[in-house]
Amino acid sequence: MMQRENPVEEAFHIRKLEISDKEKGFIELLRQLTVCDSVSDEKFNERFEEIGKYGDDHRICVIEDVRSGKIVATGSVFIEKKFVRNCGKAGHIEDVVVDSSARGLQLGKRIVEYLADHAHSMGCYKVILDCTEENRPFYEKCGFKKKEIQMVKYFV
């Protein structure tokens, strides 16, 4: 007898960002995370193509609700090539967000695991991210631990 997939896994498909995802609410989802002005189709396509040139060194993943066709979660990881650690690589996770209507379904955990697994498969010796203190327990459940502090300098 064939074993059925988890109903949540059946309803929510994780995959790489596709150019058509702009029409599936990708930009609106990012607005739930941070400032994200409207992006024209032309600018979206240009940025999508630019990111694509980095190949596996910059991966944006999404989770699509297959019932509604909407993007309900996303995150990205980029691979930094370093001289330290024997010319090692470090993964940087960014822009993780789950739609407010889909929280509590472990989708954020699936995104973070997907991104961390990708960094590991690319030969990274570590993967790092920045988060708010309120999100710290979530990332600790995903296997991350607090290390030092974050600093930022904005130019806009």
Side-chain angles (χ1 to χ4, degrees):
M1 189 163 141
M2 201 167 123
Q3 192 174 12
R4 288 185 49 104
E5 276 192 60
N6 177 322
V8 171
E9 289 179 14
E10 287 180 12
F12 298 99
H13 179 67
I14 191 166
R15 59 173 171 75
K16 287 170 50 173
L17 179 72
E18 297 173 355
I19 202 156
S20 60
D21 290 335
K22 181 178 187 286
E23 303 306 315
K24 296 179 177 183
F26 178 71
I27 298 298
E28 292 78 7
L29 177 62
L30 290 175
R31 285 191 187 119
Q32 293 184 39
L33 177 68
T34 190
V35 175
C36 186
D37 298 327
S38 62
V39 178
S40 71
D41 289 348
E42 182 182 1
K43 281 197 181 273
F44 184 87
N45 294 347
E46 284 174 14
R47 182 53 45 99
F48 183 87
E49 296 299 324
E50 179 185 356
I51 290 169
K53 290 177 183 171
Y54 294 110
D56 288 335
D57 284 344
H58 191 162
R59 171 72 53 95
I60 300 174
C61 72
V62 297
I63 294 180
E64 181 177 353
D65 181 340
V66 295
R67 299 161 300 184
S68 68
K70 288 288 186 194
I71 301 303
V72 294
T74 188
S76 68
V77 64
F78 69 92
I79 310 302
E80 175 190 11
K81 294 176 173 92
K82 303 171 81 70
F83 286 102
V84 300
R85 300 273 183 138
N86 199 25
C87 290
K89 299 177 195 175
H92 295 261
I93 292 178
E94 289 280 340
D95 301 336
V96 174
V97 62
V98 175
D99 187 89
S100 58
S101 70
R103 293 187 186 145
L105 299 172
Q106 306 279 308
L107 301 182
K109 185 173 187 240
R110 285 180 63 193
I111 289 282
V112 171
E113 286 174 350
Y114 177 99
L115 298 171
D117 288 348
H118 178 73
H120 188 248
S121 75
M122 292 294 293
C124 293
Y125 70 91
K126 70 177 179 179
V127 65
I128 59 178
L129 56 80
D130 296 324
C131 70
T132 62
E133 192 60 40
E134 77 178 25
N135 287 335
R136 181 177 165 185
F138 165 74
Y139 287 107
E140 287 175 339
K141 288 179 192 167
C142 293
F144 288 78
K145 54 187 169 189
K146 186 177 189 307
K147 183 177 188 287
E148 301 170 359
I149 62 169
Q150 171 199 43
M151 304 289 289
V152 67
K153 183 175 184 178
Y154 287 105
F155 298 110
V156 187

